[in-house]
Amino acid sequence: MTIEARHWVNTAIQQIEADFKRSADTHLIKLDIPSVPNIDLYFKDESTHPSGSLKHRLARSLFLYGLCNGWIKKDTPIIEASSGSTAISEAYFARLLGLPFIAVIPKTTAPQKIAQIEFYGGQCHLVSPDQIYAESERLAKELNGHYMDQFTFAERVTDWRGNNNIADSIFRQMSAERYPVPNWIVVSAGTGGTSATIGRYIRYHPQRHHNTQLAVVDPEHSVFIDYYQSGDASLTSHQCSRIEGIGRPRVEPSFIATVIDRMQRIPDAASFASIHFLEKILGRKLGGSTGTNFYGTLQIVSEMQQRGEHGSIVTLICDSGDRYLNTYYNDQWLKDQQFDLAPYTQALESFWNTGYLPNIQ
């Protein structure tokens, strides 16, 4: 590598680090539930990152990984396969470094996500969902670019031992709470990077490993939970998840099942009912993956309540619902997709009043 090339890489890393220093940590929001006085529920609000989602952390780490490995150089085109949110965050960092960016995304991606990728200067290459991997590889080869490949590298780009990763941040922010060490942390999986980071971090700290368990919630049409139960990495699904950003039709390399203590399948209608329910409680629109997280969390809270346990649970707000106004918050779209939210809305209301979440068959 020439002196000039080294200088560009060093400057790029400094720019990313400076951007990190300008950004405050994301908030930890406590949700008071009157019917559950002995269990405290918290949201780690990842929607407040500069690019608007949990994927901001991943994108920053992917860029640093690519730069330090010598894969990203001055003028290198960046290509990524994404359902939208990671592409938005990567477009943000590509613009910061003055690099061209192409997002290879499903044709069904929410229009608001496409608009945001383009706002940051990225190009959107829309394909069938099953073509995003091969098309990303093809474009990277054709353009002599770098395919970020979040689904392979997400679990290895983050320092899971600490260094202000999401797990480290959660435990620091919980330190002054009534129950400072969570009984459970509940997340959903897209790449598997977040669950791998949190699961490894918990195991690296014996006191936390003894007291905290990791639950991963999975939407319909995702093979992650089936892989978790069977160990069969060849599993595939012919249908893609309708909860953008989480669930996959194949077992992604970054999904590390062995760091997970429990997995739960959450019906899509329950996820959508949850974000509408949360809007009434929090006064905010949230993305579908947050609804998946919330419903799965309440299942655990309900079980703890029945056993007479006390403690705390942390889950994630992954992104804002403003990205899904044409879909999850559109009554006609929900009707066209034949979602019946009523049973889950009733279950949520019942939980709020009693502390117990009815089982919907």
Side-chain angles (χ1 to χ4, degrees):
M1 184 181 290
T2 67
I3 293 177
E4 182 182 0
R6 283 181 179 272
H7 176 72
W8 185 88
V9 169
N10 291 341
T11 300
I13 292 172
Q14 289 171 7
Q15 286 178 289
I16 292 174
E17 291 299 311
D19 181 79
F20 174 71
K21 297 292 185 184
R22 291 192 296 269
S23 303
D25 198 357
T26 58
H27 304 298
L28 193 66
I29 300 170
K30 185 172 184 287
L31 180 64
D32 292 316
I33 307 173
S35 61
V36 188
N38 296 316
I39 302 171
D40 296 338
L41 173 58
Y42 300 83
F43 288 104
K44 177 71 167 162
D45 188 0
E46 294 293 287
S47 72
T48 58
H49 284 293
S51 61
S53 81
L54 167 68
K55 300 299 185 180
H56 192 85
R57 295 180 188 269
L58 173 59
R60 180 173 59 223
S61 296
L62 285 166
F63 268 93
L64 289 172
Y65 193 71
L67 288 162
C68 292
N69 281 338
W71 299 340
I72 300 175
K73 304 178 180 67
K74 184 179 181 181
D75 300 324
T76 299
I78 305 299
I79 294 93
E80 182 62 290
S82 174
S83 63
S85 288
T86 301
I88 292 170
S89 297
E90 288 185 8
Y92 171 93
F93 284 104
R95 185 175 76 169
L96 181 70
L97 303 183
L99 298 174
F101 177 75
I102 301 174
V104 182
I105 56 179
K107 296 176 181 177
T108 54
T109 300
Q112 288 87 353
K113 287 186 176 180
I114 294 172
Q116 202 159 1
I117 293 167
E118 293 174 344
F119 171 79
Y120 288 127
Q123 299 178 46
C124 294
H125 189 67
L126 278 69
V127 297
S128 298
D130 60 344
Q131 295 178 329
I132 62 171
Y133 311 101
E135 189 63 9
S136 295
E137 291 177 0
R138 186 192 69 78
L139 282 172
K141 185 175 182 179
E142 178 184 301
L143 300 173
N144 193 28
H146 173 55
Y147 171 29
M148 284 292 216
D149 195 1
Q150 60 167 323
F151 296 107
T152 294
F153 294 108
E155 58 90 7
R156 66 188 75 171
V157 301
T158 302
D159 183 357
W160 44 267
R161 291 164 292 192
N163 194 26
N164 199 38
N165 65 32
I166 189 170
D168 188 44
S169 178
I170 287 170
F171 280 95
R172 279 191 293 103
Q173 290 178 315
M174 285 290 294
S175 62
E177 298 301 317
R178 176 168 64 152
Y179 305 113
V181 178
N183 300 57
W184 290 90
I185 298 177
V186 183
V187 302
S188 44
T191 61
T194 299
S195 58
T197 298
I198 294 172
R200 288 165 170 165
Y201 180 89
I202 291 170
R203 282 158 176 74
Y204 186 66
H205 297 271
Q207 190 261 349
R208 291 165 183 169
H209 187 197
H210 179 72
N211 292 287
T212 303
Q213 297 186 81
L214 173 64
V216 173
V217 288
D218 211 28
E220 295 177 32
H221 311 303
S222 173
V223 300
F224 283 152
I225 191 170
D226 302 303
Y227 168 61
Y228 177 78
Q229 293 168 344
S230 70
D232 183 1
S234 69
L235 290 170
T236 59
S237 171
H238 296 297
Q239 212 171 340
C240 292
S241 169
R242 291 170 293 190
I243 311 295
E244 288 190 28
I246 62 171
R248 300 301 303 166
R250 72 175 194 181
V251 180
E252 302 294 354
S254 281
F255 182 74
I256 312 299
T258 47
V259 304
I260 299 167
D261 297 296
R262 165 176 175 163
M263 284 200 74
Q264 300 155 233
R265 175 94 70 195
I266 306 300
D268 291 350
S271 299
F272 299 139
S274 292
I275 58 175
H276 287 271
F277 184 77
L278 279 169
E279 184 178 13
K280 297 177 183 177
I281 297 171
L282 297 177
R284 297 171 54 187
K285 288 182 169 62
L286 304 170
S289 56
T290 301
T292 309
N293 292 344
F294 182 62
Y295 202 85
T297 298
L298 294 192
Q299 289 178 333
I300 295 176
V301 171
S302 181
E303 293 169 12
M304 290 177 63
Q305 178 87 331
Q306 291 178 40
R307 293 191 295 264
E309 297 175 7
H310 63 271
S312 59
I313 300 182
V314 179
T315 190
L316 306 182
I317 291 175
C318 300
D319 63 359
S320 166
D322 292 341
R323 295 177 174 181
Y324 310 98
L325 298 180
N326 292 348
T327 51
Y328 309 157
Y329 288 94
N330 183 318
D331 290 341
Q332 188 59 50
W333 183 87
L334 292 169
K335 182 178 179 180
D336 291 344
Q337 299 294 319
Q338 299 182 331
F339 287 118
D340 181 9
L341 308 192
Y344 298 101
T345 300
Q346 292 168 10
L348 290 163
E349 290 171 348
S350 175
F351 171 84
W352 195 256
N353 294 323
T354 68
Y356 301 106
L357 188 71
N359 185 29
I360 308 297
Q361 299 294 333

